Amino acid sequence: MPAYFTSGWFGNSEAAWHGKGIVTEGTLPAREAFEKAEALFPVEKRELFYPCGVIDSTGIGGSTRYQPSGQYAVVRCDNNDLLGMVTKRYEVVQNESLLRMAEFLREEVDMDTVVVLQNGSKVAFTATIKGAEKDVVPGDTIKRRIVGFLGHDGITGVGAMFTNVRVVCSNTFALAERLASNRISLRHITGVNDQFDSLIQSIDVQREVFEEDVEKMRFLANRIVHSGDFRSYLEILYKKDLYVPEDLMNGTEGRLKDVTEYRKTRKMILAREEGLGMDIPGVKGTWWAAVNAVTEIETSTKRTSTGAQFHKANFGSGLTASRKAVELALEFASV
């Protein structure tokens, strides 16, 4: 089983990227989806103790004495798995709170997935916002989704973020990441459940932003990539990764690797020609294809066998890479 994935439910007959979890036709009510994903386990905060000698001063026949450390563990109650390390001020938020978030949004969204990651260190759901689905070109559909998340790792809070997803490829476009309304993160403090009202207000904003995003994607689909521009595009996007520093000992100057020398950009060159959805009329050869080649390698869960890709796309570097890919493509396409 992939290290990042523990259990999950996947709706609309869309099997998981690794073949695990429960798959059903259509969507489900939030509670049923959480139950099928085994995502309603309780957690608690437990203080950690450490041994500090024996009670008997002779050291013979005594028992070990334990001292409170002032540090706490977040523990999954059903199997005692350690999920994270926290301080005394940390307040646990139960998975039922994330379920309440999903139920709170039930009139506005259709549930897509519920996943438990890293033994329960993170729990997340994705849902499609009703009325936020458009074609960039006929047959190439984009949806606006909300990702609700809750962390028990001591680092991740509880909240929601909004992403665009290209359905044919299941890759994430973080075009609206620059907007403050794109992510709502609530701290593990008392009263966190009272703040969920802000999510409904954000959804109305996201519908408007989604229309703007689709127009930008359609603009990219109407702009041809000229000879050599895709290489230049990748060189700018991955300049840090392609840079080879100077070697004073051997007298070599700093340089950029060719994009075919770097594994990730080499894959993107192939994906621009043969990637998922490139056979849809109106995609190949455009800046829309260029963006999809990058986001397919960075965030798509269609061609990878690891749950780490889902984590990367929704919580990690994939979102940042996607945003930069779209912004730079818009610059190239506007020249």
Side-chain angles (χ1 to χ4, degrees), residues 216-333:
K216 291 176 181 177
M217 294 173 187
R218 286 173 177 168
F219 172 76
L220 294 175
N222 280 287
R223 292 297 183 275
I224 300 299
V225 179
H226 298 296
S227 177
D229 279 356
F230 189 59
R231 279 176 168 268
S232 300
Y233 172 73
L234 293 178
E235 286 173 354
I236 295 172
L237 271 181
Y238 294 96
K239 183 176 181 180
K240 182 178 178 181
D241 300 291
L242 294 172
Y243 180 68
V244 180
E246 63 181 7
D247 185 346
L248 296 178
M249 295 294 293
N250 293 314
T252 58
E253 297 181 355
R255 68 177 182 89
L256 285 180
K257 294 179 185 176
D258 188 86
V259 290
T260 58
E261 295 180 63
Y262 181 46
R263 183 170 175 267
K264 185 180 287 187
T265 49
R266 186 168 63 248
K267 285 184 174 182
M268 291 169 184
I269 291 171
L270 293 174
R272 191 169 74 98
E273 296 297 324
E274 303 173 2
L276 295 166
M278 296 301 172
D279 57 341
I280 298 174
V283 173
K284 184 175 285 190
T286 67
W287 277 106
W288 177 233
V291 167
N292 279 296
V294 173
T295 54
E296 178 178 324
I297 302 305
E298 290 283 6
T299 71
S300 178
T301 60
K302 288 284 189 180
R303 283 188 171 175
T304 180
S305 60
T306 170
Q309 190 79 344
F310 178 90
H311 184 275
K312 177 184 176 184
N314 290 284
F315 300 102
S317 61
L319 281 176
T320 303
S322 171
R323 175 181 55 80
K324 290 180 179 178
V326 175
E327 289 177 350
L328 185 59
L330 287 168
E331 289 182 24
F332 269 84

Side-chain angles (χ1 to χ4, degrees), residues 103-207:
E103 290 180 328
F104 186 72
L105 301 171
R106 64 184 177 275
E107 300 299 327
E108 303 288 337
V109 303
D110 290 321
M111 293 291 291
D112 294 317
T113 67
V114 180
V115 293
V116 177
L117 304 174
Q118 294 174 302
N119 298 324
S121 295
K122 291 185 181 70
V123 180
F125 72 83
T126 64
T128 298
I129 299 174
K130 294 178 180 178
E133 179 177 333
K134 298 282 185 180
D135 279 358
V136 177
V137 299
D140 201 349
T141 305
I142 296 291
K143 294 181 178 181
R144 182 70 118 200
R145 282 181 180 163
I146 180 172
V147 180
F149 60 89
L150 169 59
H152 302 301
D153 55 3
I155 301 172
T156 309
V158 55
M161 54 188 157
F162 299 89
T163 63
N164 299 320
V165 176
R166 185 183 188 225
V167 178
V168 70
C169 191
S170 288
N171 53 353
T172 300
F173 294 90
L175 186 60
E177 189 183 26
R178 66 191 181 280
L179 299 175
S181 61
N182 192 57
R183 184 184 178 101
I184 303 165
S185 187
L186 310 176
R187 297 174 59 195
H188 283 259
I189 57 175
T190 303
V192 65
N193 297 307
D194 297 332
Q195 301 180 51
F196 288 161
D197 288 347
S198 59
L199 290 177
I200 288 292
Q201 298 171 6
S202 295
I203 283 180
D204 289 335
V205 173
Q206 288 299 317
R207 285 198 184 97

Side-chain angles (χ1 to χ4, degrees), residues 51-66:
C52 58
V54 293
I55 295 176
D56 188 336
S57 60
T58 65
I60 300 174
S63 59
T64 303
R65 183 165 58 91
Y66 290 88

